[in-house]
């Protein structure tokens, strides 16, 4: 199943570029096409047969499918977002080149040629989500919205942690909250910062993250680098503080990860701390002004790390789900819509719904992302059967196909 999902993710990305005339209007299309060619070479090689290598590629594919969807909703007028995505695509392209067998090199969209061998894996998520397709989180959404919008007085700083295993829905929950109209109206600015390791960044992860936050706030890269060169990490924290001063901001720190370095752990600790009188800018909390109602949401697989950042009392724990109906809705939505935004949704009404619901819940082991992926995999075979079969045969044919896969 893992290999089938990886192949599906790759095909989903590559086929997403073949959308007819509208495809040529996708910002950064040449970058995506270059990556598509590299993926084809990687999937045809023996290198990807190794499970650890396959996992690396899978992480890239999750991001690429997300960001391609995001770009399809952008125009070249969204220059700030386009520039940020362009930089990330360049980095992914560099990594993929290092995974092509025998160090094969290909030209970048800007005409340069390069290869890379030893890169760290990065997993990125976006703030884009279709809230109507998110099921089973009603209670958590309501609770988190209340915590974010009102937790004490208007000027109180809020730090909230969401913890749980990979794929349980931490990022999705944050995406729903981040895009709520009430939240958009209440906070300005709102920034989404992925905490995963990024290639070609500073070895000091503290510097890398603060730079990334300034970048998300729209500070020019040259200015960020100059501040760092002149004043080191302390200067970056001061610049971050100035950018957020007297603003009711919302910051999502997505996928915070553990770092064994004691100084790094101390840097991220106790985000609600106030700036000390000695003026030492030595922790992230000092870059986050207090007193105007700012808020930070941290997602992490590591409960101890999140607890260190936001405090035990501010943790929201997400456990694997067990709601049969929610998993069925996620699966059914994915089957009917697939990943083709322009297609007419299918009508998926198998005859043995109750049996399928139990099978899906069992196969997904409590993780919503698995239900979505299974549904997207089923979209094409169900569509083909419905196109070919008579109306009175379609439901049973779709059911047979469903059972043969899951």
């Amino acid at each position: 199943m893992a290999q089938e999902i990886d192949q599906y993710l790759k095909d989903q990305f590559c086929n997403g570029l073949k959308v007819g005339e509208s495809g040529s209007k996708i910002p950064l299309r040449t970058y995506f096409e270059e990556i598509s060619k590299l993926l084809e070479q990687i999937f045809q090689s023996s290198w990807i047969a190794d499970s650890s290598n396959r996992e690396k590629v899978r992480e890239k594919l999750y991001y690429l499918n997300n960001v391609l969807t995001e770009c399809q909703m952008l125009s070249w007028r969204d220059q700030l977002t386009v520039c940020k995505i362009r930089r990330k695509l360049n980095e992914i392209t560099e990594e993929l080149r290092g995974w092509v067998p025998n160090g094969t090199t290909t030209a970048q969209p800007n005409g340069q040629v390069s290869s890379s061998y030893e890169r760290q894996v990065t997993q990125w998520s976006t703030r884009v989500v279709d809230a109507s397709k998110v099921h089973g989180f009603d209670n958590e959404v309501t609770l988190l919205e209340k915590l974010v919008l009102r937790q004490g007085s208007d000027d109180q700083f809020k730090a909230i942690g969401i913890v749980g295993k990979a794929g349980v829905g931490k990022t999705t929950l944050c995406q729903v909250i981040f895009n709520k109209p009430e939240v958009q109206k209440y906070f300005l600015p709102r920034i989404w910062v992925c905490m995963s390791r990024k290639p070609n960044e500073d070895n000091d992860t503290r510097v890398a993250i603060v730079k990334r936050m300034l970048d998300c706030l729209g500070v020019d890269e040259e200015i960020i680098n100059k501040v760092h060169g002149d004043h080191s990490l302390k200067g970056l924290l001061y610049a971050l503080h100035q950018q957020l001063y007297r603003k009711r901001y919302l910051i999502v720190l997505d996928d915070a990860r553990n770092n064994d370095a004691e100084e790094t752990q101390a840097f991220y600790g106790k985000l609600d701390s106030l700036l000390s009188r000695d003026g030492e800018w030595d922790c992230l909390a000092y870059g986050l002004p207090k007193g105007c109602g700012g808020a930070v949401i941290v997602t992490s697989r590591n409960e101890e790390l999140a607890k260190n950042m936001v405090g035990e009392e501010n943790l929201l724990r997400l456990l694997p789900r067990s709601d049969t109906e929610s998993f069925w809705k996620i699966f059914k939505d994915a089957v009917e819509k697939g990943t083709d935004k322009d297609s007419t949704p299918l009508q998926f009404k198998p005859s043995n719904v109750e049996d399928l619901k139990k099978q899906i819940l069992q196969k997904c082991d409590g993780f919503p992302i698995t239900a979505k992926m299974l549904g997207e995999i089923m979209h094409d075979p169900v569509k083909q059967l419905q196109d070919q079969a008579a109306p009175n045969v379609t439901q049973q044919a779709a059911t047979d196909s469903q059972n043969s896969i899951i």
Side-chain angles (χ1 to χ4, degrees):
M1 176 60 72
Q3 293 183 0
E4 184 174 329
I5 289 175
D6 295 339
Q7 182 65 43
Y8 168 75
L9 288 171
K10 191 267 290 183
D11 291 343
Q12 176 184 342
F13 171 71
C14 295
N15 292 337
L17 295 174
K18 303 173 183 177
V19 291
E21 296 180 357
S22 61
S24 61
K25 299 179 182 179
I26 300 176
L28 307 176
R29 181 178 178 80
T30 56
Y31 290 79
F32 286 119
E33 289 176 340
E34 170 68 13
I35 289 173
S36 176
K37 294 175 183 177
L38 290 169
L39 287 171
E40 292 291 355
Q41 295 180 58
I42 290 171
F43 270 76
Q44 292 172 8
S45 71
S46 59
W47 178 88
I48 201 171
D50 183 272
S51 59
S52 62
N53 292 339
R54 184 173 290 277
E55 185 175 349
K56 294 177 184 178
V57 175
R58 187 183 309 142
E59 287 186 313
K60 291 292 180 290
L61 286 167
Y62 280 130
Y63 168 74
L64 289 168
N65 278 298
N66 280 336
V67 80
L68 178 59
T69 300
E70 186 171 1
C71 280
Q72 288 170 337
M73 295 186 288
L74 294 173
S75 72
W76 285 106
R77 290 173 294 181
D78 301 295
Q79 284 297 320
L80 181 59
T81 302
V82 170
C83 287
K84 291 176 183 176
I85 293 175
R86 181 189 294 113
R87 288 201 297 271
K88 293 175 185 177
L89 293 181
N90 273 327
E91 290 154 7
I92 288 179
T93 302
E94 284 288 298
E95 249 186 307
L96 293 181
R97 287 197 184 97
W99 298 344
V100 172
N102 302 320
T104 303
T105 60
T106 53
Q108 298 183 33
N110 61 8
Q112 297 176 346
V113 175
S114 176
S115 66
S116 173
Y117 292 91
E118 297 179 358
R119 305 286 187 182
Q120 288 185 299
V121 176
T122 304
Q123 182 177 2
W124 293 87
S125 63
T126 74
R127 60 178 181 267
V128 177
V129 68
D130 183 352
S132 68
K133 303 302 180 184
V134 177
H135 304 288
F137 289 95
D138 292 348
N139 292 337
E140 289 83 357
V141 168
T142 300
L143 174 59
L144 185 56
E145 186 176 0
K146 288 181 179 179
L147 290 173
V148 170
L149 291 179
R150 190 65 285 119
Q151 185 181 2
S153 60
D154 288 344
D155 61 355
Q156 183 174 342
F157 174 82
K158 298 170 281 289
I160 302 163
I162 304 175
V163 296
K165 294 182 179 180
V168 77
K170 303 182 298 296
T171 296
T172 299
L173 177 58
C174 276
Q175 288 170 327
V176 172
I177 293 297
F178 192 85
N179 292 292
K180 279 263 186 180
E182 299 85 354
V183 173
Q184 293 182 25
K185 182 179 179 180
Y186 189 79
F187 292 103
L188 186 69
R190 296 173 304 119
I191 64 171
W192 186 283
V193 183
C194 293
M195 300 287 281
S196 305
R197 183 71 174 89
K198 181 179 180 181
N200 301 326
E201 280 189 326
D202 295 83
N203 291 329
D204 188 334
T205 57
R206 300 170 301 173
V207 170
I209 293 301
V210 179
K211 281 186 173 182
R212 199 179 300 169
M213 295 173 76
L214 290 167
D215 178 60
C216 290
L217 287 166
V219 181
D220 187 79
E221 185 176 6
E222 292 184 6
I223 295 176
I224 295 173
N225 291 333
K226 179 172 175 47
V227 170
H228 180 227
D230 293 344
H231 304 286
S232 68
L233 177 59
K234 295 181 179 181
L236 293 174
L237 286 169
Y238 180 77
L240 177 63
H241 189 280
Q242 291 298 105
Q243 286 291 315
L244 298 173
Y245 185 59
R246 293 187 177 179
K247 296 176 182 176
R248 186 187 289 159
Y249 57 84
L250 173 63
I251 300 174
V252 173
L253 301 177
D254 189 36
D255 197 21
R257 303 195 178 193
N258 189 35
N259 188 303
D260 293 331
E262 186 175 341
E263 63 178 3
T264 303
Q265 291 183 356
F267 175 77
Y268 292 113
K270 299 180 179 178
L271 294 180
D272 62 351
S273 299
L274 297 174
L275 182 62
S276 60
R277 291 183 177 273
D278 59 16
E280 287 295 324
W281 295 81
D282 55 3
C283 65
L284 180 59
Y286 296 167
L288 304 173
K290 313 304 190 293
C292 290
V296 175
I297 304 176
V298 177
T299 75
S300 181
R301 307 173 196 178
N302 188 313
E303 183 168 326
E304 287 302 314
L305 173 63
K307 186 189 301 184
N308 183 45
M309 297 176 74
V310 307
E312 168 74 30
E313 67 280 6
N314 295 315
L315 287 183
L316 174 60
R317 296 174 176 88
L318 283 188
L319 300 175
R321 326 303 289 176
S322 58
D323 180 8
T324 304
E325 290 302 320
S326 295
F327 275 86
W328 171 248
K329 289 177 181 177
I330 294 169
F331 175 80
K332 187 172 183 290
D333 282 345
V335 171
E336 293 184 340
K337 191 168 185 180
T339 58
D340 186 352
K341 305 297 183 182
D342 299 324
S343 65
T344 302
L346 302 176
Q347 294 297 317
F348 183 60
K349 298 179 179 179
S351 57
N352 58 340
V353 171
E354 295 306 318
D355 289 339
L356 289 178
K357 288 180 180 179
K358 295 177 183 178
Q359 291 183 52
I360 292 165
L361 183 63
Q362 181 180 9
K363 290 289 183 181
C364 294
D365 201 25
F367 294 94
I369 191 173
T370 308
K372 182 174 184 292
M373 294 175 65
L374 285 173
E376 290 178 346
I377 290 172
M378 279 299 303
H379 174 80
D380 287 345
V382 170
K383 184 177 186 301
Q384 183 178 6
L385 285 167
Q386 291 194 6
D387 288 344
Q388 295 175 354
N392 62 333
V393 180
T394 299
Q395 293 183 5
Q396 186 60 51
T399 299
D400 294 341
S401 176
Q402 162 75 22
N403 290 334
S404 70
I405 292 183
I406 70 169

